[in-house]
């Protein structure tokens, strides 16, 4: 398969509306061999009697996006301790797309000819932020905020586009609330921040898995109404000179409140209410420490350790409970270690790092659509123990 991509970013030199143009020409070529009777084992195309065909198709697709925004933020001091924050933003989005696919012969991953398809949409939005801050004391600050968020409309434009995927993806809006405390304790040796939040999203834009021409694709869609709530804690502590401890803990409950029903009345693809959102573990935490041993000589020594852990999370948002279960990433923890030498005046540092010290294996994503109904595991580099050396010099 051959791909030619062209992306053009333009903007008016006089400060007019920013504009982004993109175009992609994608050709997919297949080699298909058929043997009669159908073999039960892997058979090369050079087998006598094999019929060879060469399906091919080329798609030309792209978009033009224009955006205009005006925004401002101000702070009003009601007293020495109490202040109000106000922010307002106006946004105008103008989006147009085009697509045409010419297929000489259909085959695996190649749909019949489609198009030309052209569509456009525009949207105006007013969003903003309102907050209150109060200094409980010189070391404790409390705050409460409300924010209205916005994400503009979109279209699905990809190689195997068909008529069922040409609808506009409506703009997403969010209402979020947050309460928090920022604390400086122990004569400035510790900072401890606490926050609790709730957010509700309407017309939530999500990637929905789908099989097109035998290939798994992720189609952008309005999933419906979702919400997330939780609490966070982060801390930095210096109990003694040259010893630093930091960490954080977060609890998140992110779920679907009401999945948007298809307009055709078919509900087989509807994700049940209460289903957890993908890549949203309930618990996530980290704890680290580093110490610098000052020798009094030309070089000091340093030792650091950093650990992190997160509970299980769904990788693929799917209507099927079996697929959600099969694509769930199990909880895992990672420990990193750093050891090094530091020049006494911080001019040079040589650090030896061990990432994933205990060689904990995990997947960053799991998706369906593999050969024979199998699942694909995306394994990051961090899923294996590895080593590195870092040299830093300050001038």
């Amino acid at each position: 398969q051959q791909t030619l991509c062209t992306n053009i970013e333009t903007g008016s030199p006089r400060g007019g509306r920013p504009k982004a143009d993109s175009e992609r020409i994608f050709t997919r070529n297949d080699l298909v061999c058929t043997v009669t009777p159908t073999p039960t084992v892997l058979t090369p195309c050079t087998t006598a009697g094999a019929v060879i065909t060469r399906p091919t198709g080329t798609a030309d697709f792209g978009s033009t996006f224009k955006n205009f925004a005006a925004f401002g933020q101000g702070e009003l001091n009601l007293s020495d301790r109490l202040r109000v924050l106000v922010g307002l933003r106006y946004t105008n989005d103008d989006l147009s797309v085009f697509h045409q696919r010419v297929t000489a012969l259909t085959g695996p991953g190649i749909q019949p000819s489609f198009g030309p398809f052209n569509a456009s949409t525009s949207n105006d939005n007013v969003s903003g932020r309102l907050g209150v801050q109060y200094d409980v004391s010189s070391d404790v600050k409390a705050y409460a905020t409300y924010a209205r968020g916005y994400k503009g409309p979109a279209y699905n434009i990809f190689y195997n586009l068909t008529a069922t995927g040409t609808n506009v993806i409506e703009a997403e809006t969010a209402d979020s609330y947050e309460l928090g405390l920022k604390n400086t304790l122990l004569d400035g040796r510790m900072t401890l921040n606490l926050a609790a939040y709730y957010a509700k999203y309407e017309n939530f834009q999500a990637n929905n898995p789908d099989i097109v021409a035998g290939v798994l694709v992720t189609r952008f869609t309005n999933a419906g109404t979702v919400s997330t709530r939780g609490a966070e804690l982060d801390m930095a502590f210096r109990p003694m000179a040259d010893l630093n401890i930091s960490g954080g803990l977060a609890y998140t409950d992110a779920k679907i409140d009401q999945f948007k029903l298809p307009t055709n009345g078919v509900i087989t693809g509807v994700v049940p209410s209460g289903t957890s959102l993908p890549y949203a573990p309930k618990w996530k935490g980290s704890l680290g420490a580093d110490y610098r041993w000052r020798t009094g000589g030309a070089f000091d020594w340093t030792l650091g350790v950093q650990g992190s852990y997160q509970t299980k999370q769904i990788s693929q948002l799917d209507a099927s409970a079996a697929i959600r279960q099969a694509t769930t990433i199990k909880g895992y923890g990672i420990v990193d270690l750093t050891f090094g030498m530091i020049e006494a005046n911080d001019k040079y540092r040589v650090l030896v790092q061990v990432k994933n010290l205990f060689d904990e294996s995990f997947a960053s994503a799991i998706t369906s659509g593999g050969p024979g109904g199998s699942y694909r595991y995306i394994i990051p580099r961090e899923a294996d123990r590895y080593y590195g050396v870092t040299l830093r010099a300050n001038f």
Side-chain angles (χ1 to χ4, degrees):
Q1 53 192 30
Q2 305 164 348
T3 307
L4 171 63
C5 295
T6 304
N7 292 289
I8 306 170
E9 301 270 350
T10 61
S12 169
R14 298 181 179 177
R17 171 182 294 209
K19 177 183 177 184
D21 291 309
S22 69
E23 180 175 11
R24 186 177 187 186
I25 300 174
F26 187 100
T27 298
R28 174 168 290 164
N29 298 314
D30 289 344
L31 177 64
V32 178
C33 20
T34 305
V35 178
T36 304
T38 302
T40 57
V41 296
L42 188 63
T43 304
C45 289
T46 54
T47 302
V51 177
I52 298 177
T53 56
R54 301 180 183 275
T56 182
T58 297
D60 183 356
F61 51 95
S63 64
T64 297
F65 176 67
K66 299 177 183 178
N67 170 269
F68 172 80
F71 54 91
Q73 181 169 307
E75 180 177 310
L76 175 63
N77 294 312
L78 300 180
S79 71
D80 291 340
R81 290 188 173 188
L82 181 63
R83 66 196 62 89
V84 176
L85 306 176
V86 179
L88 199 63
R89 179 186 182 95
Y90 166 76
T91 304
N92 173 262
D93 291 319
D94 192 352
L95 173 65
S96 61
V97 295
F98 64 92
H99 184 288
Q100 182 168 16
R101 182 178 58 253
V102 178
T103 301
L105 180 65
T106 60
I110 305 178
Q111 290 277 70
S113 297
F114 174 74
F117 163 69
N118 294 276
S120 63
T121 187
S122 62
N123 196 68
D124 295 291
N125 176 265
V126 177
S127 54
R129 178 173 180 258
L130 179 64
V132 178
Q133 292 182 344
Y134 180 70
D135 299 339
V136 180
S137 69
S138 59
D139 296 326
V140 179
K141 301 181 185 298
Y143 67 90
T145 61
Y146 162 76
R148 174 77 168 180
Y150 166 77
K151 187 186 296 182
Y155 282 97
N156 283 294
I157 296 295
F158 58 97
Y159 176 76
N160 269 325
L161 183 69
T162 61
T164 57
T166 57
N167 59 293
V168 63
I169 310 302
E170 300 293 342
E172 172 189 311
T173 58
D175 292 292
S176 62
Y177 307 83
E178 183 173 340
L179 295 172
L181 283 174
K182 295 184 180 294
N183 307 277
T184 302
L185 309 172
L186 303 177
D187 296 324
R189 289 185 290 122
M190 171 183 279
T191 60
L192 180 65
N193 300 322
L194 304 169
Y197 62 88
Y198 170 79
K200 189 166 187 175
Y201 301 80
E202 301 288 346
N203 277 332
F204 182 67
Q205 297 177 354
N207 285 315
N208 187 45
D210 195 8
I211 302 295
V212 179
V215 177
L216 178 70
V217 299
T218 53
R219 192 195 307 276
F220 215 37
T221 186
N222 287 123
T225 303
V226 306
S227 61
T228 178
R229 61 201 47 79
E232 295 179 348
L233 174 153
D234 65 82
M235 170 271 295
F237 180 39
R238 177 174 287 185
M240 56 184 291
D242 298 319
L243 175 61
N244 299 289
I245 301 173
S246 62
L249 182 65
Y251 170 78
T252 303
D253 180 19
K255 61 184 180 182
I256 290 178
D257 294 334
Q258 180 62 59
F259 204 76
K260 190 172 183 178
L261 297 178
T263 56
N264 59 7
V266 179
I267 61 173
T268 55
V270 173
V271 180
S273 298
T275 300
S276 297
L277 291 177
Y279 302 107
K282 290 276 189 183
W283 290 96
K284 193 170 184 178
S286 66
L287 183 63
D290 65 83
Y291 178 69
R292 179 171 177 171
W293 176 36
R294 297 187 184 270
T295 64
F299 291 93
D300 300 329
W301 299 99
T302 181
L303 176 65
V305 61
Q306 178 75 36
S308 62
Y309 179 79
Q310 63 182 42
T311 56
K312 66 180 181 179
Q313 57 183 323
I314 292 176
S315 176
Q316 180 173 312
L317 185 63
D318 197 282
S320 167
I323 292 180
R324 294 198 304 273
Q325 178 65 31
T327 59
T328 295
I329 301 171
K330 296 180 180 179
Y332 61 89
I334 295 177
V335 176
D336 299 332
L337 192 65
T338 302
F339 176 75
M341 186 171 60
I342 306 174
E343 196 271 334
N345 296 314
D346 288 322
K347 291 183 178 180
Y348 308 101
R349 288 183 179 224
V350 179
L351 303 175
V352 178
Q353 299 173 316
V354 183
K355 297 291 188 180
N356 196 352
L357 178 65
F358 298 107
D359 202 23
E360 177 74 10
S361 181
F362 63 93
S364 61
I366 306 173
T367 64
S368 61
S374 61
Y375 293 86
R376 292 187 174 96
Y377 284 68
I378 311 301
I379 307 298
R381 183 181 70 166
E382 290 75 15
D384 294 295
R385 180 172 52 238
Y386 66 97
Y387 310 87
V389 178
T390 301
L391 173 63
R392 295 180 180 177
N394 296 321
F395 301 95

